[in-house]
């Protein structure tokens, strides 16, 4: 007999909607299954068989994050099939900075009211992100919380686990002046700085669907909802052939907070502003909001979603590998002896 509670339904929780949502999302989840995934959706835990063949000292690396207030744009645009990519990206792009290959992912969706088709659309994006990163979507949770969230709103967070041999964990111990920083372009604002973005564009009252010339005819809403790029596969390909001395995922805090996380004390990176391939959306944000350059580089990725540090001699090969894997990578800076971690001039 199907579970059903009239009393719970009267309180605003429709558990039958949950069952429908699970059925609708199963096809999306199926495409993420990898050899290690041993679980069907609906159990109490996600099972994954760990294959450590060829590893001397396997290390698990975990990451968790959410999409943040970018979700407000999804609500306003009534578009929910890409924010799941953002959720996966924010987790797997972090763990790849250690050199770890993502194994599996779990999501958590909390909503005011469970609309099964909307939940399935969200999960379709999560599944797309998992496919892009090679991770299996082995579980998750949807919590209907009437009175806590408005009926049409939700929050989305995730958790991922990856693996790397201890000897191959990315280390900055050999980083030295003269090494170069390579930029991997972003797809847009990604999933950070949206509290400022929303204020700058007054998104609750703006026409988010009108074409904007400075954005190549895209609307502001379309540009802002562009999902976060996932860098896992290009970085894994690079790590197979080149010694990488540092990797930074450029998220909230922009250049000034994230690049230093891969650079040891006594060193910094010098970047010429003219070498940064800033995307039009950031020029529009700065112009519309009257935001100074220092604040822009301290809030947004500015068109650089990830940075990689290699020796100067390895840079040509690194660029070739990244470009062969779909990344229009370019040299953005040089490592210098400096107490200032990031110097932009």
């Amino acid at each position: 007999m199907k579970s059903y509670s009239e009393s719970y339904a009267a309180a605003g929780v429709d558990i039958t909607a949950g069952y429908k949502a699970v059925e609708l999302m199963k096809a999306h989840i199926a495409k993420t299954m990898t050899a290690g995934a041993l679980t069907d959706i609906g159990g109490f835990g996600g099972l994954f068989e760990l294959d450590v063949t060829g590893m001397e000292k396997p290390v698990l690396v975990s990451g968790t994050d959410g999409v943040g207030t970018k979700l407000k744009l999804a609500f306003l645009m009534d578009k929910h099939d890409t924010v799941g990519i953002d959720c996966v990206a924010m987790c797997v792009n972090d763990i790849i900075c250690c050199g770890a290959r993502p194994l599996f992912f779990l999501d958590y969706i909390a909503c005011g009211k469970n609309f099964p088709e909307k939940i399935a659309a969200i999960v379709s994006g999560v599944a797309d992100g998992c496919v892009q990163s090679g991770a299996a979507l082995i579980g998750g949770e949807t919590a209907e919380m009437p009175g806590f969230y408005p009926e049409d709103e939700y929050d989305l967070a995730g958790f991922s686990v990856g693996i790397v041999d201890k000897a191959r964990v990315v280390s900055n111990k050999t980083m030295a002046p003269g090494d170069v920083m390579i930029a991997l372009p972003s797809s847009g604002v990604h999933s950070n700085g949206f509290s400022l973005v929303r204020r700058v564009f007054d998104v609750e009252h703006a026409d988010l669907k009108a074409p904007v010339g400075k954005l190549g005819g895209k609307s502001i809403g379309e540009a802002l909802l562009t999902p976060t790029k996932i860098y896992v596969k290009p970085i894994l390909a690079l790590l197979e052939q080149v010694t990488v001395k540092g990797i930074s995922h450029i998220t909230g805090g922009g250049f000034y907070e994230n690049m230093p996380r891969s650079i040891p004390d006594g060193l910094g990176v010098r970047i010429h502003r003219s070498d940064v391939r800033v995307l039009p959306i950031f020029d529009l944000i700065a112009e519309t909001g009257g935001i100074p350059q220092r604040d822009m580089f301290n809030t947004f990725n500015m068109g650089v979603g990830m940075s990689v540090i290699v020796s100067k001699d390895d840079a040509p090969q690194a660029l070739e590998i990244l470009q062969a894997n779909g990344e229009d990578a370019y040299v953005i800076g040089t490592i210098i002896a400096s107490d200032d971690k990031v110097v932009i001039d």
Side-chain angles (χ1 to χ4, degrees):
M1 186 177 85
K2 280 282 188 181
S3 173
Y4 178 73
S5 168
E6 290 186 2
S7 299
Y8 212 5
V13 179
D14 182 359
I15 55 179
T16 61
Y19 300 144
K20 183 178 180 182
V22 170
E23 288 301 315
L24 290 175
M25 68 177 70
K26 280 184 176 179
H28 302 298
I29 295 168
K31 67 183 180 184
T32 75
M33 290 297 101
T34 61
L38 302 178
T39 185
D40 289 326
I41 297 300
F44 286 98
L47 305 179
F48 193 92
E49 183 177 10
L50 198 58
D51 181 0
V52 295
T53 303
M55 292 189 179
E56 293 185 5
K57 292 185 178 180
V59 176
L60 296 179
V61 182
S62 59
T64 186
D65 210 337
V67 181
T69 64
K70 182 174 185 174
L71 292 176
K72 286 284 189 180
L73 271 296
F75 305 156
L76 292 167
M77 296 286 287
D78 193 24
K79 181 173 174 57
H80 311 282
D81 60 348
T82 59
V83 290
I85 299 175
D86 292 293
C87 190
V88 175
M90 295 304 294
C91 298
V92 298
N93 283 346
D94 277 356
I95 65 177
I96 195 62
C97 291
C98 300
R101 173 174 58 88
L103 296 172
F104 58 82
F105 188 85
L106 289 88
D107 60 17
Y108 177 80
I109 304 169
C111 57
K113 183 174 178 60
N114 188 330
F115 296 102
E117 290 78 10
K118 181 185 289 186
I119 299 300
I122 297 167
V123 174
S124 75
V126 175
D128 288 343
C130 286
V131 170
Q132 290 180 35
S133 60
L137 179 55
I138 63 171
E141 176 71 15
T142 301
E144 191 172 19
M145 302 168 65
F148 194 86
Y149 291 96
E151 277 198 0
D152 290 330
E153 296 190 2
Y154 56 85
D155 199 4
L156 174 62
F159 173 84
S160 187
V161 171
I163 192 169
V164 61
D165 202 339
K166 188 174 182 179
R168 302 191 68 179
V169 173
V170 174
S171 170
N172 62 15
K173 290 182 179 179
T174 64
M175 196 178 298
D179 290 341
V180 299
M181 176 179 283
I182 294 173
L184 279 68
S186 70
S187 56
V189 183
H190 283 184
S191 297
N192 304 102
F194 271 85
S195 294
L196 177 55
V197 167
R198 287 167 42 237
R199 182 185 66 79
V200 166
F201 291 125
D202 189 17
V203 296
E204 281 80 8
H205 304 101
D207 183 353
L208 297 176
K209 297 184 179 181
V212 177
K214 291 183 179 180
L215 299 178
K218 286 185 177 181
S219 68
I220 289 176
E222 184 182 1
L224 294 177
L225 270 186
T226 301
T228 305
K229 187 183 286 188
I230 292 176
Y231 299 97
V232 170
K233 292 179 180 179
I235 293 294
L236 287 176
L238 178 65
L239 292 169
E240 284 294 319
Q241 300 181 61
V242 173
T243 298
V244 175
K245 300 185 179 186
I247 306 175
S248 286
H249 182 200
I250 314 303
T251 56
F255 284 32
Y256 288 103
E257 285 191 21
N258 292 288
M259 289 178 176
R261 295 167 71 177
S262 63
I263 301 173
D265 291 342
L267 298 178
V269 61
R270 179 180 296 281
I271 297 170
H272 296 304
R273 168 64 178 80
S274 59
D275 290 339
V276 183
R277 299 175 186 175
V278 178
L279 296 176
I281 184 64
F282 297 110
D283 290 331
L284 187 60
I285 291 170
E287 178 185 324
T288 305
I291 302 171
Q293 176 177 290
R294 179 61 166 73
D295 288 357
M296 290 295 295
F297 277 89
N298 207 161
T299 306
F300 302 107
N301 68 62
M302 298 302 287
V304 179
M306 185 159 281
S307 63
V308 176
I309 298 169
V310 299
S311 72
K312 184 177 181 179
D313 290 342
D314 286 338
Q317 184 185 10
L319 289 169
E320 183 180 342
I321 293 168
L322 290 168
Q323 290 164 1
N325 282 272
E327 291 297 326
D328 189 17
Y330 62 97
V331 172
I332 193 177
T334 304
I335 299 301
I336 58 174
S338 174
D339 292 329
D340 294 325
K341 288 294 186 183
V342 179
V343 179
I344 301 176
D345 54 20

